[in-house]
Amino acid sequence: MKTGKRICETLKAIRREIAGANGIDYTPTPCNHMSDCAGTCPVCEQETRWLERQLRSRQVMEKAVAIAGVSIALSSVTASAQSQEPNAIEPQRMEQTENRTMGIVRMMPPPELQQLNLDSIYSEVDVEALFPQGNEALDSLISNQLTIPDEILDPIREIGGKVRARCIVKCVIERNGSISDVTIFQSTSAAIFDNEALRVVSNLPKFYPASIMEVPVRSWKLIPVEFIYDFSRKN
């Protein structure tokens, strides 16, 4: 087999093992190129980018993906290709580093992703954390969950009065969409309202997490909570 074909087949094998190790359904596109080549082509690069996206979506880009049994084959093929065709192989975004002692290949994230600290809480993100059914559904759910004791509302009800209070709750949307670190960002100036807002937000269902470069991250979220009671008498 010619040098380019060996490189092509080896890289396909690597992609298959990476996909298999991470539960990704991947079948390489058959190569119909008859003559020798550099070992990579637009189809190969497209498959590599697709696999990167799949790995990001599985939240594993912060971890090296170890694949046993391919390091020696890769190094021998690459060394042979470099000695015969030193300029044939273009640098790939997916960096491969080998560990001969352990016999593994590690797939590392691009440099910009290496800057992400997955323990940090981000205020600026590419895609904000979102409630799955949308903001209107979130407002409706919060309103329906708010419970103020009758002893607070009865005097207002008796005189036909109105109450309107608003606070803003600040929280963290975790990478799995759950809510943590719930605090009052802007108070209603009434502890009973603020505490009820904290209770309701703390028990909300999961959100879609925020993301940076398609990688889920922890992020701050501001959630407004309104208390509206109108007991005005109707003529």
Side-chain angles (χ1 to χ4, degrees), residues 1-8 10 36-39 71-89 98 100:
M1 184 183 295
K2 295 184 179 180
T3 300
K5 291 293 185 181
R6 288 202 303 272
I7 295 173
C8 179
T10 300
D36 197 16
C37 64
S71 178
I72 296 176
L74 177 62
S75 63
S76 62
V77 170
T78 304
S80 174
Q82 288 176 342
S83 64
Q84 298 178 32
E85 303 173 79
N87 298 317
I89 304 176
E98 60 175 306
R100 294 173 183 267

Side-chain angles (χ1 to χ4, degrees), residues 164-168 184 186-195 197 225-227:
R164 179 162 189 163
R166 184 177 188 269
C167 67
I168 297 178
I184 293 294
Q186 180 179 306
S187 174
T188 63
S189 299
I192 191 167
F193 289 149
D194 288 353
N195 290 337
V225 179
E226 285 193 319
F227 299 82

Side-chain angles (χ1 to χ4, degrees), residues 2-4 17 23 52 65 73 114 132 139 189 216 227:
K2 295 184 179 180
T3 300
E17 295 203 35
E52 284 181 336
V65 181
Q114 295 181 39
D139 293 341
S189 299
F227 299 82

Side-chain angles (χ1 to χ4, degrees), residues 125-130 208-213 217 219:
V125 295
D126 294 339
V127 179
E128 294 184 0
L130 297 172
Y208 292 136
S211 62
I212 297 177
M213 292 177 287
V217 294
S219 67

Side-chain angles (χ1 to χ4, degrees), residues 5-235:
K5 291 293 185 181
R6 288 202 303 272
I7 295 173
C8 179
E9 291 302 318
T10 300
L11 294 178
K12 283 182 180 179
I14 290 172
R15 291 196 292 272
R16 276 195 300 268
E17 295 203 35
I18 291 174
N22 291 278
I24 299 171
D25 186 13
Y26 164 69
T27 302
T29 303
C31 180
N32 297 319
H33 189 72
M34 301 304 296
S35 59
D36 197 16
C37 64
T40 61
C41 68
V43 173
C44 294
E45 293 170 1
Q46 182 178 1
E47 289 186 0
T48 298
R49 289 192 296 270
W50 176 85
L51 185 55
E52 284 181 336
R53 290 194 297 270
Q54 295 299 311
L55 288 168
R56 289 175 193 167
S57 70
R58 284 159 173 76
Q59 304 179 16
V60 297
M61 289 301 291
E62 75 273 20
K63 299 177 182 178
V65 181
I67 300 158
V70 297
S71 178
I72 296 176
L74 177 62
S75 63
S76 62
V77 170
T78 304
S80 174
Q82 288 176 342
S83 64
Q84 298 178 32
E85 303 173 79
N87 298 317
I89 304 176
E90 294 295 328
Q92 298 295 308
R93 187 183 183 194
M94 186 186 299
E95 178 186 356
Q96 295 174 344
T97 62
E98 60 175 306
N99 183 325
R100 294 173 183 267
T101 303
M102 298 298 294
I104 64 173
V105 168
R106 297 184 182 273
M107 193 186 77
M108 304 299 292
E112 61 269 24
L113 279 178
Q114 295 181 39
Q115 303 301 316
L116 285 180
N117 183 345
L118 297 178
D119 292 324
S120 295
I121 305 172
Y122 289 88
S123 298
E124 297 183 4
V125 295
D126 294 339
V127 179
E128 294 184 0
L130 297 172
F131 191 67
Q133 287 76 42
N135 289 333
E136 289 187 8
L138 175 61
D139 293 341
S140 177
L141 177 60
I142 290 174
S143 178
N144 291 334
Q145 295 294 321
L146 294 173
T147 302
I148 299 299
D150 287 339
E151 57 264 30
I152 301 297
L153 297 178
D154 281 348
I156 303 167
R157 186 181 289 110
E158 288 177 6
I159 64 174
K162 300 179 182 179
V163 174
R164 179 162 189 163
R166 184 177 188 269
C167 67
I168 297 178
V169 175
K170 184 178 183 179
C171 62
V172 174
I173 307 299
E174 299 288 346
R175 298 180 65 223
N176 66 357
S178 62
I179 297 173
S180 66
D181 298 327
V182 182
T183 59
I184 293 294
F185 179 75
Q186 180 179 306
S187 174
T188 63
S189 299
I192 191 167
F193 289 149
D194 288 353
N195 290 337
E196 180 62 6
L198 291 173
R199 181 190 71 82
V200 170
V201 170
S202 296
N203 289 283
L204 287 174
K206 287 186 176 183
F207 282 60
Y208 292 136
S211 62
I212 297 177
M213 292 177 287
E214 302 181 8
V215 178
V217 294
R218 306 175 75 205
S219 67
W220 292 110
K221 182 78 174 178
L222 297 179
I223 301 177
V225 179
E226 285 193 319
F227 299 82
I228 303 175
Y229 302 95
D230 186 354
F231 303 116
S232 58
R233 295 185 175 91
K234 306 298 182 183
N235 294 327

